[in-house]
Every structure is written in structure tokens, then in C-alpha cells.
Amino acid sequence: MIDINEKLLEAYDRAGNHSGVSGERLALRLSLLSEIGRTTDGGSCRIGYSHEERAAKDLVRGWMVEAGLAVREDEAGNIIARLPGVHHHLPAILSGSHVDTVPNGGHFDGALGVLVALEVVEAWKETNFKPKHPFEVIIFSDEEGARFNTGLTGSKAMAGELDMEQQQQAKDVHGVPFEKVINNYGLCAKSFSNAKRDFKDSKAFVEVHIEQGKRLENANLPVGVVSGIAGLGLLKITFTGTAGHAGNTPMNDRFDPLTAAGQFLYELKSLPEKVSSTAVATVGKLQVFPNGINVIPKEVELYVDIRDIYEESLQQLIDLVIAKASESAKTQAVEIQVEKKRLGNAVLTDQGLQDLLLKSVEKNGSAPMVLPSGAGHDAMILSHHLPMAMLFVRSQEGISHNPREWSSLNDCVHAVHVLKDFIEALQEE
């Protein structure tokens, strides 16, 4: 089992230790957090509303208190740590992320965003800097959605966007009802919706997160500024034909849904670029029935994950995918059924915050790069209520949701300096 702290410090350039920022402190905290829910593969398992997520929150909460923050927990389990501003009446600047993980995830997804925001507070403490605006570091509950197969629970509850009637009926992956899970966690399911917050007292939200892709690595850049967070459309497509014997059914007398699905899959890859340079479409799940080696299939069921940061082009791509699937079905003389589900609308980051964040990137010696986020984040939910920005940190080989997930300490500390500069500049806006 690797020592996270030791590995992070191996190649660390201590020139990053300035303006009150400590790479050693950040490395140690990432390492200590990684020990909670450590898997046999060396990954993290801290699913939402688990004892492990609670332990991780408690650990970070202790550091927040030591840093001089006033800490509270809302009815959805979100942790809000507040540093008063010189001018108490001014709206607060918010930053943070989550500490829950997928069942065998990595040690940076979510956790880095929380600890980077906290390191900004530590740096201010070291240098005796007093922000004009109040500053809050937030740990959101159950971002990943591994518990109830739906994510962003804490941020949705804070934003008042959670369908509580549906949530109360939910059961977790083990069949345990939502109410029992929440009550066992030390919260009250009946008052869960009271976590709703009025964001009139908030100026902006900025989230630091690992990229979970290779764009920054390919560009050899430590950080990048997010242009928008992709909306998600999910299509369940079922091709239905006629089952038959593989040996006795002539090729010209087949109604093969797998051939139709294969034709569709081949042509799918050319569709996203027709609508947007940031759009993507993926088939990650496909089932064949009856799935016999000597049987022409009767039915093929597949799911298409469609994403883009622009709402209009996202809908255009969904329409193109449906049209292409229908065309493939018609070519092979099979039936088709399409079920549509929207799992999230696309959002763009606030242009003013994006520009300010790019200036902070340049000020800290890095070339400015703007890139989209194909994954959802708590920032996506908060963007419905206040201006939002995101800063991505380079991911080694683009690996995420995996024990091999890694970002160098140099890049993580670089992100602290960029975030610190950005928040200080935002004080003057």
C-alpha cells in the first residue's frame, strides 16, 4: 500500500511554499483523508451517508475549527465553515466540493477541492490577511450518488432542488430505505429539506476539482478554467427483430437487431462533431437477448450517454442520435423503441468569474486554458442560484474514479495559489 504523503512529497518543488501556503500541510491532509475507507486495491470507498463519509467530514471539520472557522452542519449533512469578513454585511464567497467517493475510487476527486479551499484559509491565517467578504468552505454530502444511484444530493438539498417525495421513497444499493439511512447517519429525514438556503447572502461559488481527463496533461498545464458543465441526456434504445437459428436462417432472410445496433454504433461516433466541438456520445452498456452463440438475437438493448455544455446543441445531438438509430433499424427491417431521460441541463460558467480566474492563472505563471467539464459537479447545481466558476487541476493519464487517480502536489499547490489570488481579486470586484 503506497504512502500518499510520501509519494506526494517525492517530486514536490518547495518553491510553492510561499504566501502562507504549505504543500506539506496539504499533502499530509490528503494522505490522512485517504486512509478513511481505504480499499484493498489502495483506493477509497466512502459512499454518501456512510460511516466513512461521516468520518472524513469529521476529520476535515477538526481542521476547519483549528483554522478558526465557525463550522455548522445543515439538515442534509453539508458542512459549512465560515470565516467572517471585515465587512460582515457583504455577501459571502463560497468554495468547496465533497469527500464521498465511488465504491473503489481515488483520493483526489472531491477531496482536493475541499482541502484547497481550506488551504487558502490557512494561508490567510499565516499571513494575517483579513478578507473583506465572508468566505465559506463547504463539504457537500453524497455528490457521487453511489448510495441511491443519483448524485448531488447535498447541493440539491441546499439549493432546494431535491424532489423530497421521490427521495423519501428511495432505497439504497442494499435496499435500505432513505429515511433509515439518513436517521442512522445522525440526521432527521423528515427535516432534510430544511437544508434549503437563501443564496441572497452569497456573491459567488468556485469549485476546484481534478480534470478527470487528459486535456491539461496533453497541453502540459497544471490548471485550467472550466467554460461550462455538460448537460446529460440518456437514451435507452431497444432494437427488436426475429430470433432464428444461426445455421438454418439464410442471410437474406434475417431481421437481426444486433446488425442494426452495430450499424448504429459505428455511425454514432461521427454525430457529436456535427453539433458542437464539446459534445460527446457514448454507449457503455449493451445487452443482447437471448444471447446464445448459435441464435440470431431477438432483441438488443443499449444506452446512449449524450453530453454537451451547450443546451441547444445537446438537444440537437439527442435528436440526431434518435434519427440515426431509427435509420439503422429501418435499414435492417427491425423495430425500434426509444426512451428519453434528461439527467441534467447544461450550464455555462459565469463569464466575469471565468475571465477573473483566467487572470489569476496567468498571474501565477501558467498559460490560460479554457476547457469543458463532461462530468457533473456540485457547482452545476449552485450555478442555478449564484455566479459560478470552476478550476480544473491536471489529472495524471486522465484517470479518475480509480485507485490510480493522481494529481501531483506541485499542481495541487499551484491550484491553491490560483484560487487564493482569485478570491482576493474577487474581494475588490
Side-chain angles (χ1 to χ4, degrees):
M1 199 78 71
I2 66 168
D3 184 314
I4 301 294
N5 186 53
E6 184 178 319
K7 184 178 177 182
L8 281 168
L9 292 172
E10 275 177 3
Y12 178 52
D13 180 358
R14 284 169 173 77
N17 289 348
H18 66 83
S19 306
V21 175
S22 168
E24 288 83 0
R25 179 169 51 218
L26 181 59
L28 180 60
R29 288 176 172 179
L30 281 165
S31 182
L32 291 172
L33 202 53
S34 77
E35 295 299 323
I36 300 174
R38 183 71 73 95
T39 67
T40 55
D41 291 337
S44 291
C45 184
R46 298 191 296 266
I47 66 172
Y49 298 113
S50 65
H51 295 301
E52 291 80 13
E53 188 204 37
R54 169 63 77 190
K57 286 179 178 175
D58 287 345
L59 179 63
V60 179
R61 183 173 189 153
W63 296 331
M64 290 170 162
V65 172
E66 289 174 9
L69 301 177
V71 186
R72 67 181 179 88
E73 180 178 21
D74 70 15
E75 291 83 353
N78 299 309
I79 303 297
I80 301 104
R82 186 178 177 95
L83 180 69
V86 173
H87 304 296
H88 296 276
H89 66 281
L90 291 177
I93 297 169
L94 318 180
S95 187
S97 195
H98 60 99
V99 295
D100 66 304
T101 72
V102 295
N104 191 27
H107 305 301
F108 295 82
D109 182 343
L112 181 63
V114 172
L115 296 181
V116 163
L118 181 56
E119 186 59 29
V120 169
V121 175
E122 296 283 12
W124 287 342
K125 182 180 177 183
E126 294 282 344
T127 58
N128 201 33
F129 176 83
K130 306 295 183 185
K132 291 182 180 179
H133 289 255
F135 179 61
E136 293 184 1
V137 181
I138 302 176
I139 308 175
F140 293 103
S141 298
D142 188 34
E143 189 268 358
E144 296 289 3
R147 191 69 188 252
F148 298 101
N149 293 317
T150 178
L152 308 169
T153 308
S155 52
K156 285 180 179 177
M158 183 181 286
E161 296 185 16
L162 205 59
D163 184 337
M164 284 309 302
E165 184 175 343
Q166 180 179 330
Q167 198 70 32
Q168 294 286 1
Q169 296 173 359
K171 293 184 178 181
D172 75 0
V173 290
H174 303 294
V176 181
F178 172 79
E179 184 172 359
K180 186 173 182 180
V181 169
I182 297 305
N183 291 346
N184 287 343
Y185 190 72
L187 300 172
C188 177
K190 290 185 176 8
S191 60
F192 199 85
S193 60
N194 292 340
K196 182 179 179 180
R197 173 173 178 167
D198 186 347
F199 287 100
K200 290 180 181 178
D201 65 348
S202 305
K203 181 179 177 71
F205 176 77
V206 55
E207 181 172 0
V208 176
H209 204 280
I210 59 170
E211 181 195 352
Q212 302 173 285
K214 296 182 180 180
R215 288 181 175 90
L216 290 172
E217 185 174 67
N218 290 340
N220 194 27
L221 293 173
V223 296
V225 176
V226 176
S227 55
I229 303 174
L232 171 59
L234 185 65
L235 301 180
K236 177 184 177 182
I237 301 177
T238 305
F239 295 95
T240 304
T242 304
H245 194 285
N248 290 326
T249 307
M251 297 303 293
N252 64 356
D253 193 28
R254 297 186 177 200
F255 304 95
D256 186 349
L258 188 53
T259 302
Q263 178 180 325
F264 165 71
L265 288 172
Y266 177 75
E267 296 183 357
L268 177 67
K269 63 181 181 181
S270 67
L271 299 182
E273 63 184 15
K274 294 181 185 295
V275 302
S276 169
S277 62
T278 55
V280 293
T282 307
V283 173
K285 182 178 181 180
L286 182 148
Q287 294 176 298
V288 180
F289 304 96
N291 206 29
I293 60 173
N294 61 350
V295 181
I296 299 167
K298 178 182 179 180
E299 186 175 280
V300 174
E301 179 183 281
L302 57 84
Y303 292 82
V304 191
D305 179 307
I306 304 168
R307 305 187 188 217
D308 195 26
I309 63 171
Y310 303 106
E311 190 64 29
E312 184 177 350
S313 53
L314 174 60
Q315 188 55 56
Q316 289 174 350
L317 182 53
I318 290 172
D319 294 340
L320 278 178
V321 170
I322 294 172
K324 182 59 68 176
S326 299
E327 179 185 316
S328 298
K330 185 176 181 180
T331 300
Q332 301 301 323
V334 300
E335 300 295 321
I336 185 173
Q337 181 179 357
V338 179
E339 296 178 34
K340 295 191 289 184
K341 187 174 184 180
R342 286 301 298 272
L343 302 182
N345 294 331
V347 298
L348 297 175
T349 56
D350 180 84
Q351 191 61 54
L353 294 183
Q354 185 183 136
D355 292 343
L356 192 63
L357 194 49
L358 284 168
K359 288 180 181 178
S360 294
V361 169
E362 289 186 279
K363 184 177 177 181
N364 282 275
S366 180
M369 180 177 179
V370 177
L371 67 167
S373 173
H377 301 281
D378 292 306
M380 178 170 59
I381 302 302
L382 266 65
S383 73
H384 304 158
H385 303 272
L386 73 166
M388 174 275 291
M390 283 195 75
L391 181 71
F392 271 172
V393 180
R394 174 166 43 188
S395 296
Q396 183 174 294
E397 297 180 37
I399 295 171
S400 180
H401 285 189
N402 183 304
R404 291 176 55 219
E405 177 181 281
W406 192 261
S407 290
S408 75
L409 184 56
N410 288 321
D411 290 350
C412 295
V413 169
H414 193 97
V416 177
H417 285 293
V418 172
L419 179 66
K420 177 175 175 291
D421 183 81
F422 168 76
I423 296 170
E424 290 172 3
L426 191 56
Q427 306 279 331
E428 307 302 325
E429 290 285 306

